[in-house]
Amino acid sequence: MDRLANTVRPYAWGSTTALPELLGTAPTGEPQAEMWMGAHPGAPSRIDRGAGPVSLAEAIDAAPEAELGADAVRAFGPRLPFLLKLLAAGSPLSLQVHPDLAQAKEGFADEERRGVPIDAGHRNYKDANHKPELIVALTPFDGLCGFRHPAQAADLLAGLGVDDLKPYVDILRAGPEENALREVLTAVLSAEHHAIADTVERAAVAAGRLAAEGGPHADDYAAYAGIAHHYPGDPGVLAAMLLNHVQLQPGEALFLGAGIPHAYLNGLGVELMANSDNVLRCGLTPKHVDVPELLRVVRFEAGDAGVLRPEAVDGEEIYETPIDEFRLSRFALAPGAAPRPLVSRTPQILLCTAGTVRLRDGGADAGDGADAGAGSGSGSGSQLTLAPGESAFVRAGEHLTLTGDGTLFRATVVA
């Protein structure tokens, strides 16, 4: 097992306080949005096995079957197929969708064939992989996920009392659900900029007023007014009003499959995703919005957001998802409990989010003995102690035991 040294990404939407509070470090005053754990080439974790720090990606490249196991290599190739993150949103992220695997392969091949530079601002597909993702709240967490039923979206828009929204309201109330959602989203994202910006501003003022007055939709209106505050005049504000507003409590989760429009608004969570950078944006961003490609990828399916809660299986709380590239679970460890054995034929990343967790190899009781890896960057040893925000990579086939008084998240694959 290897202690991970991880990179914090300072995206503008990040919280200035959430990650420092978890990590026990002083805020810098700058946003700290995501801490990456894994072997993604954009910011791979680093390990040290005694010969100096190297990236986890380099270690895997040098001996993929030894690090990942034959099952994972056979299923996903010689790379770690997931990326684990701590995500701290202080303001809304872009409204976005991800392609399915076939769409990603087709889109990537097309842009490669057309010679679109991989770092071009208008490039949609950075790789040929899909990007399903799971977010588990560590604090109260606000987000948008999936389309509301058109009738519900129509009631919210009508309640704003903005005349320019009446055509959208009529469409949402009249047509079949899929057609109505498609027509309204297309109209909003294709509208002339000055006209739609004015409509957004008036809708935002009305949403703020209704949020202050209270009522059955006050929380929804407050969320949309907050989005508009960060992105004044952005057509994505109206697109966001078509989506379910979700307020997760700690431990609750959302799974974002292909084609599901979503955005994270505020809060701290553990995020696990397939190893991809493919994002198609709907708004709430100064970045490129490719409306035709977006409409090809979006699934215009209305329904509830589908809040997930973990299922307990032999003391491990598992967040069930319909994909194999990753599986996320957590352990609530109590002092004095028997050591928890942990072994897998596939690679694992273990992340402590509360208290203290001890990992010991060889299947022996961790006890209170020497801690070869605790508090150091040395990486591997007979035992590691993890504090909140600290993580470890566990090679396929390693036998561990877990003890301590804290919460540990486990990311692995199904193979």
Side-chain angles (χ1 to χ4, degrees):
M1 53 186 169
D2 300 278
R3 183 182 298 279
L4 294 178
N6 304 307
T7 298
V8 174
R9 310 305 293 264
Y11 304 135
W13 49 261
S15 168
T16 58
T17 58
L19 276 179
E21 286 176 3
L22 180 71
L23 298 171
T25 59
T28 65
E30 300 298 321
Q32 297 183 44
E34 296 180 347
M35 187 173 77
W36 289 19
M37 291 157 278
H40 190 286
S45 301
R46 300 185 71 78
I47 61 175
D48 189 340
R49 293 176 177 166
V54 297
S55 81
L56 182 58
E58 291 172 351
I60 291 171
D61 286 346
E65 286 207 7
E67 302 291 337
L68 306 177
D71 292 341
V73 172
R74 185 163 47 249
F76 308 111
R79 62 185 182 87
L80 188 67
F82 63 79
L83 175 64
L84 183 65
K85 298 180 180 180
L86 281 167
L87 183 146
S91 60
L93 283 67
S94 62
L95 186 60
Q96 59 189 256
V97 298
H98 306 304
D100 63 26
L101 189 56
Q103 291 165 338
K105 289 180 177 178
E106 180 184 348
F108 181 77
D110 175 65
E111 290 186 324
E112 289 289 279
R113 186 168 50 250
R114 292 189 285 117
V116 181
I118 197 71
D119 57 352
H122 62 285
R123 174 115 186 190
N124 293 316
Y125 297 95
K126 307 293 188 183
D127 52 68
N129 198 17
H130 62 166
K131 193 187 178 188
E133 58 190 45
L134 176 73
I135 183 79
V136 179
L138 294 179
T139 66
F141 194 97
D142 269 19
L144 306 173
C145 180
F147 286 106
R148 294 177 180 271
H149 289 287
Q152 297 172 351
D155 290 345
L156 276 177
L157 292 177
L160 295 169
V162 175
D163 288 344
D164 288 348
L165 296 178
K166 188 175 184 305
Y168 304 145
V169 172
D170 292 342
I171 294 168
L172 290 168
R173 286 179 173 162
E177 286 194 347
E178 180 177 339
N179 293 346
L181 292 168
R182 179 183 293 275
E183 187 172 349
V184 173
L185 184 64
T186 302
V188 166
L189 297 183
S190 304
E192 191 274 328
H193 177 74
H194 176 77
I196 200 70
D198 181 65
T199 302
V200 169
E201 289 300 315
R202 285 184 281 124
V205 170
R209 183 187 74 250
L210 291 166
E213 292 174 358
H217 301 300
D219 286 346
D220 292 333
Y221 285 131
Y224 298 131
I227 293 169
H229 171 74
H230 290 284
Y231 297 98
D234 192 309
V237 175
L238 298 183
M241 293 183 181
L242 301 175
L243 306 185
N244 296 298
H245 172 222
V246 187
Q247 295 176 299
L248 299 178
Q249 295 305 307
E252 295 181 331
L254 292 172
F255 174 71
L256 294 314
I260 305 300
H262 61 277
Y264 304 142
L265 304 181
N266 185 271
L268 176 67
V270 174
E271 186 180 36
L272 183 59
M273 63 180 62
N275 218 349
S276 172
D277 287 329
N278 287 326
V279 175
L280 290 152
R281 296 175 178 84
C282 311
L284 312 183
T285 177
K287 295 182 179 179
H288 177 62
V289 176
D290 185 336
V291 175
E293 185 65 13
L294 171 72
L295 296 174
R296 188 179 78 89
V297 168
V298 170
R299 293 184 179 177
F300 290 95
E301 301 170 356
D304 295 335
V307 174
L308 292 178
R309 295 172 182 85
E311 298 181 12
V313 180
D314 296 329
E316 182 177 12
E317 298 176 315
I318 300 171
Y319 292 90
E320 294 288 354
T321 61
I323 52 98
D324 293 337
E325 280 91 336
F326 61 73
R327 189 184 79 164
L328 187 67
S329 59
R330 69 178 181 181
F331 297 93
L333 302 173
R340 167 81 194 191
L342 187 64
V343 64
S344 175
R345 300 193 314 272
T346 56
Q348 305 174 71
I349 291 180
L350 306 178
L351 166 67
C352 177
T353 59
T356 301
V357 177
R358 289 183 294 277
L359 319 176
R360 184 162 185 165
D361 61 16
D365 186 351
D368 294 317
D371 184 359
S376 75
S378 62
S380 60
S382 63
Q383 181 170 304
L384 290 178
T385 296
L386 301 181
E390 295 183 334
S391 57
F393 173 72
V394 182
R395 287 173 284 190
E398 286 197 63
H399 290 251
L400 304 178
T401 55
L402 311 178
T403 58
D405 180 12
T407 303
L408 185 79
F409 280 83
R410 177 194 190 199
T412 186
V413 303
V414 181

